[in-house]
Each structure stands twice: as structure tokens, then as C-alpha cells.
């Protein structure tokens, strides 16, 4: 069983709504996780290498200040809709909705003040913590009162994140956690010596604003074929890549399945990602630029972390042939993702 402790992490400034931000520490023999009530943020995740030593493998900040300033969603739960919605627009039942544009011409990760920037109400569980919030009708332009529960549980080497939601009006929803991983330890210079594999036969090509074109393309014979592990640095060189920021299409099944694996041979750390979601966004920290000072005063340069964000396909609300992103009244949105750490 995991142990759970709670402590005060800081106080939000009045202009951000005020309120006490708590930190919840989940600890087993092999994994230690710190989660904030602000944005359900994973602020630290320590796991053992083959030498038996713990290292923190997620990017983030030592203090609340870092998280209240602009940052690229480090460790946060993003929503109502993760990823991009083209032109921030969609139509439901003949009515057009316009969202805030915060990513060029598009809406990204829930808008100006998404789920990552708000306080959630915590409830401590025997081996984890459940966060709740009500996203009111019209918040960030989305329809319906949306009740959302995000539950983190730690069991041995496995961290599970369960997302549940219920709505009073039909609304798009796609929730994910945006943790940035470096299995060498946060603050390590790059991820080029990591090996990555993703169990996907197809991916979504995107336009120059990162919106899927609508094509579902086979990975076979392309740089997107990650079905066998590739060493990232060599893979980038071989295909002249600037990095990945793409959705990989997973087998359509509501059951738990292994979808991705990351391995850092020098430390022996591995991470498996299992999920019930239909997609996974693989992002290699292309927009990190060394300007942010993270934990321990280290900077985070380009390609110093990767994200494996399990979610629905981007812009699905505008693409009828994508898996549906709509939640209807009387239904429940319910997805789980599991991160399994090993050496």
C-alpha cells in the first residue's frame, strides 16, 4: 500500500482567486509522487534507477510561484479539451461555440484559464487522492455544467490516473496529464539517449498550426514508425526531425492496453504507459528554450523532456470520422491511464 501525506504548498495571490494550495505525497517502496491541488499538477515523481537511487523524473518548480507564472503545462491536468481545437470553434446542435485563442489561431488545452490553472477540492484516499471540481456552464466558452473527478492512486510501481466527468449539456471533453519526463532525472540536458516505442499503426499528419489535416496516415516506412524502440537522438538525425508533437492512433478498445514504453539504458529506468484512451500525443519538448528555471535552479532546454499524453484525437469535435469527443447528459466520461515504472 502507498502512504499518503498532505501539507500546505502555498497561497494563491488574490488576483488568481486566492486559496491554499495543498501538496499530497504518495509513497510506495519504489515510487514517490507529489501532487498539487492546483491543476492536479504532478510536481515531482521519484523512481529508482538500477543503482537503487531515487531520482525525480518530471520537470517542474520548487515553489508555487513557478506554477502561477506562465509555463508549458508542467505536470498539469488539462481540459476541458486537451490539445488543439481549430480556430477555437465548433458547432453543436446547430449552435456555434467560440473559445479563447491561446495558440496562434487555435484554442489549446482548455483556453485562457483551463483546468491546469484552477484549485481543485481534494479528498484523501487510502492509497491516493481524488480531486473534484465543477466547471460551470460557459466556462472558457464550453457548454454545460461539468462535474469532474481526477483520481491518482499509487500501488507499488504503478501510478494510475482516473478521469471521470458528467455534464448537464452535450460538451466536448478530452482530459490528460501533461507531465514532462526525463528518465535520466529532471535537469538532465536532453532525452537523446532515451529509447521510445509506441504501439500505433497510424498517426495524424498536421498543418503548420499543428491541427490534424483529417488524414489518418500509416506509420509504415516513415519516421513515425515507433513500433520497435528507437533511440531518439539517432532517430532525429536519421530523419532530420526537429522533434515530435503528434497524435498516434491507438487500437480502438475501451480496455486497458500497453501503448508506449520509454527506457533510459544508462540508469536502467523504464516507464510503460497503459490506457483506455484512443490516442496518445508524443511531444519531445520542442518549445522548451532554456528560459525557465526549474527545480534546483536548473534550466530546461529544447528536447530536455518528453510527454506521452493519453487523450482523444486533437480537433475531434470538428472531425466526424475521429473518435467522438462529445459527452452527453446522462452518460459518464471515464478513462484511466497507468504509468508503470521499472528498472
Amino acid at each position: 500500500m502507498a502512504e499518503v501525506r498532505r501539507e500546505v504548498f502555498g497561497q494563491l495571490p488574490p488576483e488568481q482567486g486566492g486559496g491554499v494550495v495543498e501538496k499530497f505525497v504518495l509513497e510506495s517502496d519504489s515510487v514517490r509522487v507529489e501532487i498539487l491541488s492546483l491543476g492536479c499538477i504532478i510536481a515531482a515523481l521519484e523512481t529508482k534507477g538500477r543503482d537503487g537511487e531515487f531520482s525525480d523524473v518530471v520537470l517542474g518548480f520548487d515553489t508555487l510561484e513557478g506554477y502561477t507564472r506562465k509555463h508549458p503545462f508542467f505536470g498539469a491536468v488539462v481540459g476541458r479539451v486537451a490539445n488543439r481545437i481549430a480556430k477555437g470553434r465548433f458547432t453543436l446542435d446547430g449552435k456555434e461555440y467560440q473559445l479563447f485563442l491561446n495558440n496562434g489561431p487555435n484554442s489549446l488545452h482548455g483556453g485562457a484559464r483551463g483546468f491546469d490553472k484552477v484549485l481543485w477540492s481534494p479528498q484523501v484516499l487510502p492509497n491516493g487522492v481524488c480531486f473534484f471540481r465543477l466547471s460551470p456552464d460557459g466556462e472558457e466558452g464550453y457548454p454545460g455544467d461539468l462535474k469532474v473527478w481526477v483520481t491518482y492512486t499509487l500501488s507499488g510501481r504503478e501510478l494510475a490516473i482516473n478521469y471521470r466527468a458528467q455534464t448537464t449539456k452535450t460538451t466536448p471533453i478530452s482530459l490528460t496529464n501533461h507531465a514532462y519526463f526525463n528518465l535520466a532525472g529532471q535537469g538532465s540536458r536532453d532525452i537523446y539517449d532515451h529509447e521510445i516505442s509506441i504501439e500505433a499503426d497510424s498517426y495524424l499528419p498536421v498543418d503548420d498550426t499543428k491541427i490534424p489535416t483529417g488524414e489518418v496516415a500509416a506509420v509504415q516506412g516513415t519516421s513515425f514508425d515507433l513500433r520497435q524502440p528507437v533511440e531518439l537522438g539517432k532517430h532525429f538525425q536519421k530523419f532530420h526531425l526537429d522533434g515530435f508533437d503528434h497524435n498516434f492512433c491507438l487500437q480502438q478498445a475501451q480496455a486497458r492496453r500497453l501503448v508506449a514504453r520509454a527506457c533510459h539504458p544508462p540508469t536502467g529506468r523504464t516507464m510503460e504507459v497503459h490506457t483506455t484512451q484512443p490516442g496518445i500525443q508524443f511531444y519531445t519538448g520542442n518549445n522548451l528554450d532554456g528560459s525557465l528555471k526549474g527545480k534546483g535552479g536548473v534550466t530546461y532546454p529544447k528536447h530536455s523532456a518528453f510527454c506521452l499524453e493519453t487523450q482523444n484525437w486533437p480537433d475531434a469535435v470538428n472531425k466526424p470520422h475521429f473518435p467522438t469527443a462529445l459527452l452527453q447528459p446522462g452518460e459518464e466520461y471515464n478513462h484511466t491511464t497507468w504509468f508503470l515504472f521499472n528498472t
Side-chain angles (χ1 to χ4, degrees):
M1 279 295 273
E3 240 183 89
V4 185
R5 296 196 311 280
R6 72 192 290 178
E7 52 197 64
V8 171
F9 186 64
Q11 177 89 27
L12 280 179
E15 66 273 15
Q16 296 186 13
V20 173
V21 177
E22 289 189 280
K23 175 169 86 176
F24 296 83
V25 183
L26 281 46
E27 197 163 0
S28 72
D29 293 342
S30 40
V31 178
R32 185 174 174 278
V33 193
E34 297 180 4
I35 305 158
L36 307 182
S37 57
L38 175 74
C40 306
I41 288 169
I42 295 176
L45 200 163
E46 294 175 13
T47 171
K48 284 180 183 171
R50 76 162 69 81
D51 58 4
E53 296 293 307
F54 278 96
S55 258
D56 184 0
V57 297
V58 296
L59 275 51
F61 304 101
D62 290 322
T63 63
L64 180 58
E65 252 129 42
Y67 292 108
T68 57
R69 292 198 289 261
K70 190 171 163 53
H71 68 92
F73 305 96
F74 285 152
V77 165
V78 293
R80 248 180 228 201
V81 176
N83 218 307
R84 293 166 181 86
I85 293 178
K87 300 187 173 60
R89 246 185 257 149
F90 59 89
T91 301
L92 281 181
D93 303 327
K95 182 177 175 192
E96 187 176 271
Y97 292 86
Q98 179 64 56
L99 311 172
F100 185 77
L101 305 181
N102 60 337
N103 186 249
N106 306 315
S107 183
L108 175 70
H109 293 332
R113 191 165 184 264
F115 288 4
D116 58 298
K117 296 179 181 70
V118 293
L119 268 183
W120 294 63
S121 305
Q123 182 192 351
V124 172
L125 306 174
N127 60 337
V129 57
C130 175
F131 296 99
F132 170 79
R133 83 174 292 254
L134 172 68
S135 170
D137 187 14
E139 182 174 61
E140 287 298 321
Y142 288 98
D145 284 333
L146 186 75
K147 289 180 176 173
V148 192
W149 295 264
V150 176
T151 305
Y152 291 88
T153 46
L154 181 64
S155 165
R157 302 169 185 276
E158 187 168 81
L159 176 68
I161 313 177
N162 173 258
Y163 307 90
R164 286 173 52 224
Q166 297 162 358
T167 184
T168 57
K169 293 180 185 169
T170 303
T171 186
I173 180 172
S174 175
L175 302 175
T176 192
N177 177 284
H178 208 310
Y180 285 68
F181 294 98
N182 186 319
L183 297 180
Q186 73 88 28
S188 300
R189 197 179 62 247
D190 59 56
I191 47 172
Y192 300 145
D193 56 357
H194 284 59
E195 292 174 1
I196 300 278
S197 58
I198 298 178
E199 303 277 329
D201 297 329
S202 52
Y203 77 101
L204 300 180
V206 293
D207 67 16
D208 54 10
T209 73
K210 300 276 194 292
I211 291 288
T213 61
E215 181 193 357
V216 180
V219 300
Q220 182 77 37
T222 73
S223 60
F224 295 90
D225 193 345
L226 305 178
R227 293 172 295 186
Q228 295 300 317
V230 303
E231 189 180 315
L232 278 179
K234 289 179 179 159
H235 193 74
F236 287 178
Q237 279 178 325
K238 177 181 171 184
F239 289 99
H240 309 291
L241 299 176
D242 186 49
F244 288 97
D245 190 3
H246 294 80
N247 177 82
F248 286 75
C249 307
L250 305 175
Q251 183 199 341
Q252 301 291 298
Q254 272 287 311
R256 170 179 175 158
R257 59 221 183 279
L258 171 67
V259 296
R261 193 165 184 275
C263 172
H264 183 247
T267 60
R269 281 193 190 89
T270 64
M271 178 178 89
E272 285 182 1
V273 184
H274 300 244
T275 193
T276 59
Q277 290 274 22
I280 189 166
Q281 187 84 2
F282 179 38
Y283 173 54
T284 49
N286 317 327
N287 297 325
L288 297 174
D289 59 7
S291 63
L292 285 175
K293 265 209 165 61
K295 290 180 267 197
V298 298
T299 56
Y300 296 137
K302 182 174 182 168
H303 297 158
S304 59
F306 65 90
C307 305
L308 286 165
E309 306 157 65
T310 55
Q311 56 188 256
N312 199 6
W313 300 5
D315 200 34
V317 71
N318 292 312
K319 306 270 197 300
H321 60 295
F322 283 8
T324 181
L326 297 180
L327 178 66
Q328 313 284 351
E331 294 178 348
E332 183 169 86
Y333 175 92
N334 192 334
H335 279 288
T336 309
T337 295
W338 296 263
F339 296 97
L340 180 61
F341 298 93
N342 242 313
T343 43

